[in-house]
Amino acid sequence: MASSSRIRSTMEATVRDFLQSPFEATDTGDLRAISRRLTPECRRQLAPRSFLLHLETLTPDNNFDNAHSETAFRENFKVCRVKWIEVVDLVLDEAARRASARTKTVVSYHDDSEIEIETCWFFELVENGTQIQRIVEFVGEEMAARKHVKNMTLLRYRKSINMALIG
């Protein structure tokens, strides 16, 4: 069994790499960066449920996999880019192999407008801390709703929306 400090540093590196991956994917154009630190069977969930039901984008169980996440990012990248991501808080529980974080992300649009979104994350990691097996992403409702509406408006305008992503 690895030492507590080694597990802690591995978990921190895994979580930080995942949290920065949307910026890297924007910068390099490689959407696989988004799933690089996730197990193949990783399940992601967006919360709160009321936000998702209001947007009518996902069913209330709202679980999705890596492929769906990469497709959603690909759609978003048609109209916006991640300008920067700041990890504001990060808490690690080595014994439970869990982590939580709070991030601020600035998304810039091709029309030069920007939206800042605050998100809280909850992670379950594999035993050695090198991959994430479950994610709950708790979004700031007002700004995330604004981003969603703007994305959908711009994608519809461009006539390039993937309707399979919105239910």
Side-chain angles (χ1 to χ4, degrees), residues 9-29:
S9 63
T10 300
M11 288 174 60
E12 181 173 357
T14 298
V15 171
R16 285 188 184 278
D17 185 64
F18 169 77
L19 292 171
Q20 292 296 327
S21 67
F23 175 77
E24 181 183 339
T26 295
D27 194 43
T28 65

Side-chain angles (χ1 to χ4, degrees), residues 38-56:
L38 309 181
T39 63
E41 61 280 346
C42 181
R43 299 308 292 173
R44 296 181 65 158
Q45 208 174 9
L46 289 171
R49 288 173 55 144
S50 59
F51 167 68
L52 297 168
L53 290 171
H54 171 73
L55 294 181
E56 300 175 351

